[in-house]
Amino acid sequence: MTQTNTVEEIVSQPYKYGFITDIETEKIPKGLNADVIRLISAKKNEPEFLLKFRLRAYEQWLKMNEPDWSGLTYSKVDYQDLVYYAAPKQDVKKKSLDEVDPKLLETFDKLGIPLSEQKRLTNVAVDAVFDSVSIATTYKEKLAEYGVIFCSISEAISEYPHLIEKYMGTVVPINDNFFAALNSAVFSDGSFVYIPKGVECPMELSSYFRINSGDTGQFERTLIIAEESSSVSYLEGCTAPMFDTNTLHAAVVELVALDNASIKYSTVQNWYAGNEEGVGGIYNFVTKRGECRGKKSKISWSQVETGSAITWKYPSCVLQGDNSIGEFYSIALTNNHQKADTGTKMIHIGKNTKSKIVSKGISAGKSKNSYRGLVSISSNAEGSRNYSQCDSMLIGDKASANTYPYIQSKQPQSNIEHEASTCRISEDQLFYLQSRGIDFEESVSMLISGFCTDVFNELPMEFASEADKLLALKLEGSVG
Amino acid sequence: MISSTSETILLIQDLHASVEDQQILHGVNLIVKEGEIHAIMGRNGSGKSTLSKVIAGHPSYNVLSGSIQFKGTNILELAPEERARIGIFLGFQYPVEIPGVSNLEFLRVATNARRKELLKSELDTFEFEDLVKERLKIVEMDPAFLERSVNEGFSGGEKKRNEILQMALLEPAISILDETDSGLDIDALRIVASGINKLSKPNSATILITHYQRLLNEITPDFVHIMADGQIIKTGNKDLAVELEKSGYDFIDKNTEDKEIAK
């Protein structure tokens, strides 16, 4: 066996989160029309403005075509063959964890996200979303002492409708793109975060998304608002069972940072990626965007993308406020038949705005991994700067890596730097580590961690080692 | 110091090996015992570096025939990491840079792999830091090197000192140092040579692969071997290296020719 084959074996390891929770689910019938949207809205007791929002989005969506510019090939989704609302059967959202179905708690335990009071993570508040609904949010009371709101978006819609009405759809308009329009019409649940003026959020906030049903589309909606001089760090994690059909996940995430506010948004995405032949897996078509509305505000995206059959997303920053800062740090690992087309958009509007992009793509098997990014500097954005660095690592000779950096500058007083590299796992580096007594597998894993280290350094401390472990897990071989 | 009862560490018999379908070694024989220092000299392309890579188990090199035994055990079937753990150390001529991997963490993982083999307890971060700080003195290295990525941006001399630091931590039974002296200025050479001397133990052995006599002025070899065309064609004591320095490799060629004529 050649060295390369062995490296490929190491990156192919069975998916550990593929189990299905056997739980009674309430589902609405398949298909999408205005009545289905009314039904979803009614089930959630939504105010009138939101129903109108949904119906407007639906009308827009009907006029739009599914985009095909990415070069991703996938069997088209039959939008009438999907279920748009699925929820584990329990009457209403429970007031306390004791009332939550133990099977659900057990599911999250198994995923390493214990929710119960005794076992839950210290200093991390978790919103746990199962299929279309949020089942529990921890540390809500403690956060409330600081005026921080952290709850499911459904709860926010009923408790804080003025905030929802004021902000939802202002960063990602309902007609932004095909999948965002669909999400705006049918979104089920997701997380809501509000950090009041001058508050530094006292703990990490985290949402954990679990898809359980096979034929259900997943449409989460997340909205984070950081008022003047506030700051928050938020992390989302995602897993799904193994089905041989493809499940659509089309989320929308909107971030708003006002003057001097800072939002750090990290993602560890490990949706089911399909089997070795590329059958099954999640279509992860997500719109994520943050607006630095205030001056000196900052939005930082970091993502570790290891799952999904297809990942198609560009977490972006609109740098409106003068001196605002946007950052994007990404690791995308693809294997077998996975495809990833991901990157960011940095839109410089304000003066002296800065952005930084660090992207690390690792492609193994027959996978395709593309970085696609836009740096746009408007005529008013004098003194703006961007630095981009896109590195790709290829494992084996059947994987591919592409980089598509688009740069538009209408401002001569700006500074844009772009660096790109492509490498292979070097036999010499491997041999060097091995000749010091380090296992072949550990050596590969060390080299990949080393390749990604610039991005790991940007993850919240609590999760940096988790992410490293996730990569190592993904790289763990069948032997030893 | 060397007695006939010393244990044999390395026994190479009639070794033939190739790289990329080109045969480089044509029957190498070598015995290395405890406490011995051997020097292997020879022109570029004579097979010195190939021999070191084959002993360490580099996957690009194929053994065609012959054997390599370490303390009586055939090692040809062992993976490079297994050879390292039982005590075979290769000091590289060109140590590679590994960006993003912390030198300290790399040294710790390597040291613990070796310690595990020796049934010693593995060292945690704090215990290891104590050990490594003490060993750094042997090669007069600044602790700042530990915080950097493995060999990244190190000068030639710093890379070689980092190799000797690894040797000091792994405490191998046999160290094969491939042109450790190349590219070193006179001070770095002295530091590296003194490190190697300090690390020589009665129960370990060293093979120095070198072009030049100057390293052998600092480290006195018990045996000097001359390699040519993938074989050891002449073995002597330290005087052989002196002779070689004086007369160049032509003197060897001449001797060999004489021998062939005599045949």
Side-chain angles (χ1 to χ4, degrees):
Chain A
M1 180 176 294
T2 68
Q3 193 106 351
T4 317
N5 280 343
T6 331
V7 178
E8 283 180 347
E9 246 171 51
I10 288 177
V11 292
S12 318
Q13 67 101 47
Y15 188 65
K16 296 194 172 175
Y17 306 102
F19 64 90
I20 302 170
T21 306
D22 180 17
I23 191 159
E24 241 193 297
T25 311
E26 183 205 353
K27 281 185 193 175
I28 61 171
K30 281 182 179 175
L32 182 57
N33 52 48
D35 286 339
V36 166
I37 291 165
R38 285 194 187 91
L39 181 63
I40 295 171
S41 192
K43 280 202 173 293
K44 301 170 85 71
N45 287 320
E46 287 176 353
E48 185 65 20
F49 81 85
L50 203 65
L51 175 62
K52 282 190 179 149
F53 176 93
R54 288 177 181 278
L55 290 171
R56 272 203 315 275
Y58 177 64
E59 273 164 37
Q60 296 285 331
W61 180 73
L62 287 176
K63 291 184 222 153
M64 297 168 100
N65 292 318
E66 199 163 336
D68 59 1
W69 46 261
S70 70
L72 296 166
T73 47
Y74 58 95
S75 48
K76 290 283 173 272
V77 179
D78 179 353
Y79 293 95
Q80 295 305 333
D81 195 38
L82 283 179
V83 172
Y84 287 86
Y85 183 85
K89 250 190 194 155
Q90 49 174 12
D91 309 331
V92 271
K93 185 161 177 186
K94 302 299 179 188
K95 286 269 177 297
S96 93
L97 272 173
D98 311 336
E99 298 168 53
V100 173
D101 189 327
K103 265 191 195 160
L104 289 173
L105 295 181
E106 207 178 283
T107 301
F108 282 93
D109 260 356
K110 240 165 125 178
L111 296 169
I113 317 289
L115 299 173
S116 62
E117 203 126 350
Q118 303 78 30
K119 287 187 276 179
R120 67 195 186 183
L121 305 165
T122 50
N123 210 35
V124 181
V126 178
D127 184 27
V129 179
F130 189 89
D131 281 339
S132 303
V133 295
S134 161
I135 59 156
T137 311
T138 60
Y139 290 113
K140 267 164 88 169
E141 301 75 19
K142 188 175 172 196
L143 289 167
E145 287 170 24
Y146 294 83
V148 171
I149 304 171
F150 179 40
C151 63
S152 70
I153 201 101
S154 306
E155 194 177 331
I157 288 165
S158 68
E159 303 290 320
Y160 316 99
H162 58 290
L163 288 173
I164 299 293
E165 198 168 6
K166 184 170 173 192
Y167 288 104
M168 187 180 276
T170 62
V171 182
V172 178
I174 51 174
N175 61 351
D176 187 79
N177 66 72
F178 182 83
F179 296 106
L182 179 62
N183 174 288
S184 301
V186 302
F187 71 90
S188 41
D189 217 338
S191 300
F192 175 79
V193 175
Y194 176 83
I195 315 290
K197 192 172 166 177
V199 170
E200 196 178 311
C201 188
M203 50 173 69
E204 292 280 341
L205 305 183
S206 166
S207 287
Y208 194 91
F209 295 104
R210 172 71 179 171
I211 293 178
N212 195 55
S213 312
D215 54 356
T216 311
Q218 278 288 304
F219 306 95
E220 299 102 31
R221 187 96 196 180
T222 296
L223 176 59
I224 299 179
I225 301 151
E227 290 275 12
E228 263 172 62
S229 305
S230 69
S231 72
V232 62
S233 170
Y234 175 93
L235 180 121
E236 62 169 2
C238 334
T239 57
M242 298 189 274
F243 291 110
D244 52 10
T245 52
N246 296 107
T247 310
L248 175 66
H249 172 255
V252 169
V253 175
E254 298 178 283
L255 313 181
V256 179
L258 300 176
D259 286 0
N260 292 304
S262 138
I263 302 175
K264 187 178 177 71
Y265 191 107
S266 315
T267 303
V268 176
Q269 186 264 109
N270 190 19
W271 296 120
Y272 177 53
N275 70 7
E276 283 157 41
E277 274 76 50
V279 177
I282 304 282
Y283 289 166
N284 188 35
F285 300 165
V286 172
T287 308
K288 289 181 167 173
R289 194 172 305 154
E291 263 186 31
C292 285
R293 284 196 192 158
K295 51 180 195 287
K296 289 190 183 165
S297 57
K298 179 178 174 184
I299 290 180
S300 176
W301 299 98
S302 34
Q303 57 173 19
V304 178
E305 301 281 325
T306 63
S308 295
I310 301 178
T311 297
W312 190 5
K313 67 169 207 180
Y314 313 94
S316 303
C317 297
V318 180
L319 303 171
Q320 228 166 50
D322 290 348
N323 299 299
S324 60
I325 299 172
E327 293 175 337
F328 174 75
Y329 301 96
S330 170
I331 296 170
L333 172 71
T334 54
N335 193 11
N336 295 321
H337 291 262
Q338 275 178 281
K339 300 187 188 87
D341 196 306
T342 183
T344 186
K345 288 189 272 185
M346 293 292 174
I347 315 291
H348 293 254
I349 297 170
K351 291 184 179 52
N352 301 313
T353 46
K354 284 198 206 82
S355 65
K356 184 176 176 187
I357 299 170
V358 179
S359 161
K360 305 277 179 177
I362 303 148
S363 2
K366 293 177 181 160
S367 67
K368 285 172 91 167
N369 201 329
S370 301
Y371 169 82
R372 190 186 300 273
L374 169 69
V375 175
S376 161
I377 304 207
S378 75
S379 51
N380 292 329
E382 54 198 60
S384 293
R385 305 177 72 92
N386 161 266
Y387 171 77
S388 306
Q389 183 194 336
C390 304
D391 300 322
S392 313
M393 181 186 263
L394 292 166
I395 297 176
D397 52 9
K398 296 184 195 78
S400 71
N402 295 297
T403 304
Y404 305 102
Y406 299 88
I407 297 169
Q408 300 166 353
S409 181
K410 293 181 185 149
Q411 169 47 255
Q413 304 298 322
S414 64
N415 187 324
I416 302 171
E417 285 175 71
H418 181 91
E419 288 177 30
S421 76
T422 304
C423 64
R424 286 183 182 279
I425 282 221
S426 125
E427 192 176 67
D428 284 340
Q429 290 178 332
L430 262 179
F431 178 64
Y432 188 76
L433 295 177
Q434 283 178 277
S435 75
R436 297 301 180 250
I438 302 168
D439 268 346
F440 179 75
E441 288 181 12
E442 198 173 351
S443 301
V444 171
S445 168
M446 261 178 139
L447 291 177
I448 291 180
S449 291
F451 176 72
C452 298
T453 193
D454 301 350
V455 177
F456 283 145
N457 290 343
E458 297 302 325
L459 290 173
M461 248 229 289
E462 286 85 345
F463 298 107
S465 67
E466 285 300 311
D468 195 11
K469 256 187 256 164
L470 177 65
L471 280 195
L473 210 68
K474 199 83 184 172
L475 300 170
E476 198 173 84
S478 38
V479 286
Chain B
M1 192 163 84
I2 303 151
S3 76
S4 56
T5 57
S6 297
E7 196 191 346
T8 297
I9 296 183
L10 193 68
L11 174 62
I12 300 177
Q13 289 175 304
D14 199 23
L15 186 68
H16 293 70
S18 66
V19 60
E20 286 165 3
D21 295 329
Q22 195 189 349
Q23 189 172 345
I24 307 284
L25 301 184
H26 298 270
V28 175
N29 291 289
L30 182 66
I31 302 176
V32 180
K33 293 183 174 178
E34 282 183 336
E36 295 178 350
I37 296 175
H38 291 240
I40 298 179
M41 306 180 77
R43 287 197 169 109
N44 282 332
S46 59
K48 306 183 304 288
S49 280
T50 297
L51 178 63
S52 70
K53 297 262 170 57
V54 171
I55 298 170
H58 194 292
S60 300
Y61 294 78
N62 294 314
V63 172
L64 305 170
S65 64
S67 68
I68 305 177
Q69 288 180 27
F70 174 83
K71 295 186 175 177
T73 315
N74 170 25
I75 58 162
L76 288 180
E77 295 302 314
L78 298 183
E81 60 266 35
E82 293 169 313
R83 299 184 197 200
R85 284 181 216 143
I86 59 177
I88 297 172
F89 178 84
L90 171 61
F92 285 78
Q93 182 180 1
Y94 304 110
V96 292
E97 301 192 358
I98 308 183
V101 174
S102 120
N103 201 26
L104 181 68
E105 185 59 14
F106 157 70
L107 295 170
R108 191 173 74 88
V109 173
T111 304
N112 278 337
R114 172 85 172 126
R115 286 177 68 92
K116 206 170 161 191
E117 180 77 24
L118 297 173
L119 304 174
K120 290 185 186 170
S121 66
E122 292 184 39
L123 302 176
D124 66 27
T125 328
F126 300 108
E127 293 166 329
F128 182 70
E129 263 184 51
D130 293 343
L131 176 71
V132 78
K133 288 212 169 119
E134 173 212 314
R135 300 290 151 95
L136 275 171
K137 291 179 197 147
I138 295 175
V139 282
E140 300 177 29
M141 263 170 93
D142 191 308
F145 282 103
L146 301 172
E147 305 305 324
R148 292 166 60 178
S149 295
V150 179
N151 295 325
E152 194 183 29
F154 287 25
S155 71
E158 288 161 354
K159 283 181 183 168
K160 296 298 172 73
R161 280 198 266 172
N162 203 29
E163 293 293 290
I164 303 305
L165 174 63
Q166 292 167 44
M167 176 177 161
L169 288 163
L170 298 176
E171 302 181 6
I174 185 159
S175 305
I176 303 148
L177 305 175
D178 189 4
E179 304 207 18
T180 297
D181 52 339
S182 68
L184 296 187
D185 62 31
I186 202 76
D187 291 328
L189 180 76
R190 185 190 47 76
I191 293 166
V192 164
S194 114
I196 297 168
N197 280 327
K198 280 179 208 155
L199 294 169
S200 295
K201 303 266 159 54
N203 60 351
S204 67
T206 306
I207 298 175
L208 304 168
I209 292 173
T210 181
H211 275 292
Y212 305 107
Q213 166 63 23
R214 60 175 200 162
L215 179 66
L216 306 181
N217 290 334
E218 309 277 339
I219 306 167
T220 312
D222 301 297
F223 300 94
V224 174
H225 310 276
I226 312 290
M227 264 189 101
D229 299 327
Q231 285 182 314
I232 290 174
I233 55 160
K234 194 172 175 67
T235 295
N237 60 17
K238 62 179 178 8
D239 299 335
L240 180 60
V242 179
E243 186 71 23
L244 197 65
E245 182 87 352
K246 213 162 50 192
S247 324
Y249 286 102
D250 288 345
F251 131 85
I252 301 298
D253 294 343
K254 204 152 166 291
N255 274 2
T256 341
E257 273 163 35
D258 290 348
K259 250 196 258 167
E260 297 211 331
I261 293 162
K263 265 186 207 166

